[in-house]
Amino acid sequence: QFELKLIEEQRLIQSMETARILLEQEIAERKQAEEALRASEERYRALFDHMRDGVAIYRAENDGEDFVFVDFNKSAERIENIRREDIIGKSVQIMFPSVKDFGLFDVFKRVWKTGKSENFPITRYKDERISGWRDNFVYKLPSGEIVAVYSDETERKQAEEALRDSEEKFRSMMESMKALVYICSSDFRVEYMNPAMIKRTGIDATGEVCHKAIHDLDEQCPGCVHDKIQQGESAETATLSPKDNRYYNVSHSPIFHQDGSISKMTIFRDMTESKKSEEERIRLATAIEHASESIIISDRPGTIRYVNPAFEQLSGFNREEIIGQNFRILKSDKHDEAFYREMYDIISRGHTWAGRIINTMKNGTLRKFETRISPVKDSSGEIINFVSVNRDVTQEKALEAQLRHAQRMDAIGTLAGGVAHDFNNILSAVIGFTELALDDAEKGTLQYENLQEVLTAGSRAKDLVLQILTFSRQSDQEQKPVNVQLIAKEALKMIRASIPSTIEIKQNIQSEALVMGDSTQIHQVLMNLCTNAAHAMDDKGGVLTVDLVDIKVDSEFISDYPELKPGTYINLTVTDTGYGMALDVLDRIFDPFFTTKEKDKGTGMGLSVVHGIVHSHGGSIYAYSEPGKGSTFRVFLPVLKRRLESEERIERPIPTGTERILFVDDELSIVNIGKKTLESLGYDVVARTSSIEALEFFKTQSDSVDIVITDLTMPNLTGEELAEELMQIRPDIPIILCTGFSAKMDEQKAMEMGIRAFISKPILKREIAETIRKVLDEK
């Protein structure tokens, strides 16, 4: 009997030791599985692997209305900050009043009454002695006692619980495990299967051969595992069960007996969801690595922890340089501190910030991004990281700005055309009557000088209209091969004589290429840019630099200058060291009538005209400036590979004639000045202010008319329609078409319909005289 009792005690000790090992492995593996689903990085798994659980056993009193402590483990003492001897036999409600506030006491009562285990989710506890997060699992023992297993999430949750009661307690705890567990004796027969394993296999195979009993689960276990167990070593394997197509992580641990034999305890942990999560994490990481957007992950203080290859390529920083740096390394001076404070306030409250931001690259350049910064929270809801996804919109925004500018130019151009038409009619009368009055005025008299001033003002007004049409790209200028080098050198001589000596001129005129253009207009571009640069340095002097070089534009160059096309260009650069311009001013400098000069020092048309001239020559102009750092204008004109041909101009006297002219215009003042001007040249003029009346006259006296001069824009019949009617009556009649401005009619179209000449208002005496004579003489 003594030997039987001794064997029984040994078996009991062995069972309890086995239970302790099983419980420790179950708790550690349960926590490890939970944390594997929450986090993808090894440092978090390692943290959770070392957490310890607290265990408390309670006895129901007063028919389940109260519970007193029966036992309390060391982890519980540490977690709850109380000694075991101070709590055993005392009421839960007295020792831990907060147990009711958080609902845990209700869980005790339900488990005691129903016998069903419950998991009480992670909850925040706080009283005078303890503070932290608890995860509770509560179940009932056959003895009627309640067991609470809880982990301290605040202290990394390393579980430790000693099982000291009885084999019944051990079996009860084993039955609560979700993992599949069986114990195999040294002769490979099943000694124990927990309920989860029985449910999985469909049988209770205690006493059977292990491999036959476990079927598909353990048949893949390699023989070396058994060898390790017999040597007292643990082993881990993995298996895919064909029965339910699920992945299992398998832990094999030795159980040592006093007789020297070794049993094997095997735990199957279902890792299917974890494996799927890991595969999903890998897919996500691969997508991030190959994303075209720049992605940055930082911790809460702003230290960069990860960047993807797109960030490296765009910013110029490699990972070794940027990881560990604070986000401030990317800040630019384009946003004030209030901008960054508002951004951080939004994301630190757990919200996503979205907006546009300008960041500094490694080489110091600035790029614009559409950015979304989102917070990443841990299982407790605390923000641990920020993820910034950035789409580079630098070129996109530049194109949008150019589109808006082009739209403004188009709208202003439409307005300019209308203004030019009416204004040219007015100027025709002003200039025409002035020229007639000058013919009758005696030279040297006050009247003659005053009329000359009027004529000069009229010419200036005419030039102003041409400038308006030039910047709006609605005027056609005769273009020829031009040597820009010669123009630049001539212009710089004039500039040197007209600006203060405190301004130094540096020139680098290298290009000898030709461009197709108007030499006067190109001269105007250079004079305007240099004059503006000199004005910016009036107060303190400075350096005016003019460069003229050839440049090859390729696809990489176009990324910074999107208006250009691949090819060879002359690059004219004008730089000053003046006071510079702010961004809001820089955005408007090419708008007509916009100026920062004083009222009597500029009209705001100069740069608008320059812009129009450059674009009419097939080129582009770009401006760069910062307050206090001067300004730079870069003009690109496409190169023409042709030789420059000289042209000789001969001044001739104003031609006259005696033919009969039908002059038609709906403006009475234009008709009067036209009639008088033509009569002064010797012609016989029949004038009409109505196109209908002119047509009726021509029907009856077409043979008496030698040439017709008609306005284009008239009511009833336009000049175009009148010309068609007249040519129906007499196909050989010479017709000159005049217009203040028309977007629909040009010289080419007029020639195609049979009109002999096309001239623009205001019409000067010499111009109309030479045109009439040319048409009549050709006829």
Side-chain angles (χ1 to χ4, degrees):
Q1 290 180 350
F2 175 76
E3 290 178 352
L4 290 174
K5 184 176 181 180
L6 181 60
I7 292 172
E8 185 67 24
E9 287 179 354
Q10 289 176 343
R11 288 192 63 187
L12 179 59
I13 292 171
Q14 175 185 332
S15 297
M16 292 181 67
E17 177 64 18
T18 300
R20 185 186 65 80
I21 294 173
L22 288 174
L23 181 60
E24 287 179 351
Q25 291 186 354
E26 165 61 17
I27 292 171
E29 292 301 329
R30 177 168 63 87
K31 296 308 173 182
Q32 183 181 7
E34 289 175 358
E35 293 309 318
L37 294 174
R38 293 192 192 116
S40 61
E41 298 190 22
E42 192 60 31
R43 62 178 182 273
Y44 297 115
R45 288 200 206 94
L47 175 64
F48 295 149
D49 286 343
H50 291 83
M51 292 181 177
R52 294 174 297 171
D53 287 350
V55 179
I57 303 176
Y58 312 91
R59 181 180 68 252
E61 292 190 354
N62 299 328
D63 197 24
E65 292 302 318
D66 197 5
F67 294 87
V68 297
F69 286 95
V70 175
D71 206 347
F72 210 59
N73 74 344
K74 294 291 184 181
S75 293
E77 287 183 315
R78 175 181 53 80
I79 294 170
E80 303 300 349
N81 193 24
I82 193 170
R83 295 188 305 170
R84 178 176 178 278
E85 53 266 27
D86 294 336
I87 200 170
I88 298 300
K90 295 183 180 179
S91 168
V92 173
Q93 299 182 69
I94 294 174
M95 298 307 297
F96 296 96
S98 61
V99 72
K100 278 194 171 183
D101 297 337
F102 294 102
L104 186 57
F105 193 76
D106 294 333
V107 174
F108 288 173
K109 294 171 67 176
R110 286 197 302 271
V111 171
W112 184 80
K113 289 180 180 180
T114 65
K116 295 181 178 180
S117 302
E118 288 193 27
N119 186 70
F120 192 70
I122 297 177
T123 308
R124 177 75 171 179
Y125 288 83
K126 189 174 183 181
D127 61 23
E128 294 180 355
R129 188 179 66 257
I130 60 173
S131 177
W133 294 90
R134 303 289 187 272
D135 186 14
N136 302 273
F137 182 75
V138 183
Y139 57 94
K140 185 179 181 181
L141 296 173
S143 62
E145 294 171 324
I146 300 297
V147 178
V149 181
Y150 54 93
S151 60
D152 181 5
E153 296 292 336
T154 309
E155 299 181 1
R156 302 185 178 182
K157 302 179 180 178
Q158 182 179 10
E160 183 181 60
E161 180 180 5
L163 196 58
R164 300 179 180 90
D165 292 336
S166 64
E167 190 175 23
E168 188 63 36
K169 288 184 179 180
F170 154 72
R171 291 189 178 278
S172 296
M173 292 180 183
M174 288 294 294
E175 289 173 1
S176 68
M177 295 177 66
K178 296 180 181 179
L180 315 180
V181 182
Y182 78 92
I183 298 175
C184 181
S185 64
S186 58
D187 60 353
F188 301 107
R189 292 193 175 272
V190 176
E191 290 184 337
Y192 171 80
M193 296 174 66
N194 75 338
M197 176 62 84
I198 294 173
K199 181 178 180 181
R200 167 63 179 73
T201 60
I203 57 171
D204 183 351
T206 302
E208 299 291 333
V209 177
C210 291
H211 285 250
K212 293 182 180 179
I214 308 307
H215 300 294
D216 61 300
L217 282 177
D218 203 29
E219 64 182 7
Q220 299 177 40
C221 178
C224 62
V225 170
H226 299 288
D227 295 338
K228 283 191 173 183
I229 294 297
Q230 293 304 313
Q231 294 172 11
E233 300 177 7
S234 298
E236 287 200 9
T237 59
T239 184
L240 172 63
S241 169
K243 180 178 179 180
D244 51 13
N245 198 35
R246 300 190 71 81
Y247 292 94
Y248 292 93
N249 179 272
V250 189
S251 296
H252 308 272
S253 302
I255 301 175
F256 301 96
H257 302 282
Q258 288 186 351
D259 60 1
S261 62
I262 300 177
S263 299
K264 182 188 72 169
M265 179 177 66
T266 302
I267 302 176
F268 294 84
R269 288 172 291 283
D270 190 343
M271 304 298 292
T272 306
E273 298 304 321
S274 297
K275 187 173 181 63
K276 290 180 179 178
S277 297
E278 178 64 14
E279 291 172 350
E280 181 65 25
R281 188 194 68 79
I282 293 173
R283 284 194 294 270
L284 178 60
T286 302
I288 291 175
E289 285 286 300
H290 291 84
S292 59
E293 290 84 1
S294 164
I295 298 176
I296 309 168
I297 300 178
S298 71
D299 57 21
R300 183 156 188 168
T303 303
I304 296 174
R305 298 303 181 190
Y306 168 84
V307 293
N308 69 340
F311 171 87
E312 294 180 286
Q313 182 178 5
L314 187 62
S315 69
F317 290 103
N318 59 46
R319 294 189 184 186
E320 291 73 17
E321 293 174 321
I322 199 70
I323 291 178
Q325 297 286 344
N326 192 277
F327 233 114
R328 288 189 297 271
I329 195 173
L330 303 176
K331 287 177 62 175
S332 70
D333 58 359
K334 299 303 179 182
H335 306 290
D336 55 21
E337 288 302 319
F339 173 86
Y340 292 105
R341 281 198 302 270
E342 180 184 4
M343 176 196 298
Y344 186 76
D345 180 62
I346 291 173
I347 60 178
S348 63
R349 287 188 282 111
H351 303 300
T352 296
W353 181 89
R356 292 177 181 173
I357 189 170
I358 300 176
N359 285 338
T360 304
M361 304 296 98
K362 182 180 179 180
N363 61 5
T365 60
L366 301 178
R367 303 199 72 84
K368 297 178 181 179
F369 295 92
E370 282 188 355
T371 297
R372 291 180 65 87
I373 303 178
S374 304
V376 179
K377 301 179 181 179
D378 63 11
S379 58
S380 66
E382 292 292 327
I383 297 174
I384 55 174
N385 292 105
F386 295 115
V387 178
S388 176
V389 180
N390 312 275
R391 185 170 70 90
D392 184 11
V393 295
T394 306
Q395 186 173 356
E396 180 181 317
K397 295 307 172 186
L399 291 174
E400 287 180 4
Q402 292 169 4
L403 176 60
R404 288 194 298 270
H405 187 268
Q407 290 171 338
R408 288 203 305 271
M409 292 297 101
D410 289 342
I412 295 171
T414 302
L415 175 63
V419 171
H421 176 272
D422 293 340
F423 198 53
N424 279 331
N425 280 338
I426 298 171
L427 285 178
S428 294
V430 172
I431 294 175
F433 280 113
T434 303
E435 286 182 328
L436 289 176
L438 278 170
D439 290 341
D440 297 332
E442 184 178 349
K443 292 184 179 181
T445 63
L446 180 61
Q447 180 187 18
Y448 186 87
E449 292 177 358
N450 290 342
L451 288 172
Q452 284 286 8
E453 290 296 327
V454 174
L455 189 60
T456 300
S459 298
R460 289 173 58 192
K462 177 185 177 183
D463 292 339
L464 179 61
V465 174
L466 286 175
Q467 288 183 1
I468 293 174
L469 292 176
T470 298
F471 98 83
S472 65
R473 300 195 294 274
Q474 299 200 50
S475 66
D476 294 325
Q477 300 290 328
E478 183 180 3
Q479 294 188 346
K480 300 177 181 179
V482 176
N483 189 326
V484 182
Q485 183 190 72
L486 300 178
I487 298 173
K489 290 180 177 180
E490 178 185 348
L492 287 174
K493 290 179 181 179
M494 297 178 63
I495 290 293
R496 177 67 279 173
S498 61
I499 64 175
S501 59
T502 55
I503 298 175
E504 178 187 357
I505 296 180
K506 292 184 178 180
Q507 54 180 296
N508 177 31
I509 310 299
Q510 296 183 10
S511 175
E512 297 181 354
L514 305 180
V515 300
M516 181 63 77
D518 181 276
S519 59
T520 301
Q521 290 187 340
I522 294 175
H523 187 275
Q524 184 179 0
V525 167
L526 189 56
M527 290 294 292
N528 189 290
L529 294 178
C530 290
T531 301
N532 282 352
H535 285 165
M537 299 182 287
D538 271 346
D539 296 338
K540 299 180 180 180
V543 178
L544 169 61
T545 304
V546 178
D547 294 293
L548 185 69
V549 297
D550 294 332
I551 188 168
K552 186 74 173 180
V553 172
D554 53 22
S555 57
E556 182 178 354
F557 193 88
I558 290 174
S559 63
D560 293 324
Y561 300 90
E563 283 191 2
L564 299 179
K565 297 178 180 179
T568 304
Y569 289 78
I570 283 182
N571 178 205
L572 170 64
T573 303
V574 178
T575 303
D576 65 70
T577 57
Y579 43 75
M581 293 174 282
L583 184 60
D584 57 336
V585 174
L586 193 64
D587 287 341
R588 299 186 59 194
I589 56 173
F590 295 119
D591 291 353
F593 305 110
F594 175 79
T595 180
T596 58
K597 298 176 182 177
E598 297 177 12
K599 185 175 181 181
D600 59 343
K601 293 188 177 181
T603 63
M605 285 299 297
L607 286 177
S608 300
V609 172
V610 167
H611 182 277
I613 291 173
V614 171
H615 280 260
S616 70
H617 284 67
S620 295
I621 182 169
Y622 296 86
Y624 309 86
S625 186
E626 290 185 41
K629 297 184 179 180
S631 302
T632 297
F633 286 83
R634 298 192 71 181
V635 175
F636 297 90
L637 297 176
V639 167
L640 175 68
K641 296 182 179 179
R642 287 170 50 184
R643 296 185 62 83
L644 183 63
E645 299 176 359
S646 61
E647 184 179 280
E648 185 179 347
R649 297 185 179 181
I650 302 175
E651 189 71 22
R652 298 183 178 88
I654 297 177
T656 59
T658 59
E659 288 86 352
R660 194 178 200 193
I661 299 174
L662 175 58
F663 191 87
V664 188
D665 198 299
D666 61 321
E667 291 280 346
L668 180 60
S669 61
I670 303 297
V671 170
N672 289 338
I673 187 57
K675 185 174 182 355
K676 291 180 179 181
T677 299
L678 295 174
E679 286 177 345
S680 71
L681 296 172
Y683 294 103
D684 178 17
V685 181
V686 177
R688 292 290 185 271
T689 57
S690 166
S691 55
I692 298 295
E693 292 179 2
L695 179 59
E696 294 301 323
F697 172 81
F698 192 78
K699 286 179 180 179
T700 60
Q701 301 190 43
S702 62
D703 292 337
S704 67
V705 177
D706 295 300
I707 188 170
V708 177
I709 301 175
T710 178
D711 185 29
L712 176 61
T713 306
M714 295 185 294
N716 299 318
L717 285 176
T718 65
E720 180 182 353
E721 294 168 338
L722 176 61
E724 290 175 345
E725 293 288 343
L726 297 179
M727 287 187 290
Q728 287 289 333
I729 298 170
R730 183 178 154 192
D732 65 335
I733 183 69
I735 299 174
I736 298 175
L737 192 61
C738 306
T739 181
F741 171 77
S742 174
K744 298 181 179 179
M745 178 62 70
D746 56 25
E747 185 174 5
Q748 181 179 352
K749 185 175 180 182
M751 297 301 104
E752 289 174 354
M753 63 179 293
I755 292 172
R756 304 296 179 84
F758 181 84
I759 60 178
S760 299
K761 296 179 180 179
I763 304 170
L764 301 180
K765 186 175 182 178
R766 172 180 291 279
E767 181 183 13
I768 191 64
E770 291 179 347
T771 303
I772 293 171
R773 199 69 263 155
K774 179 182 178 183
V775 170
L776 288 174
D777 292 345
E778 286 178 352
K779 178 175 179 296

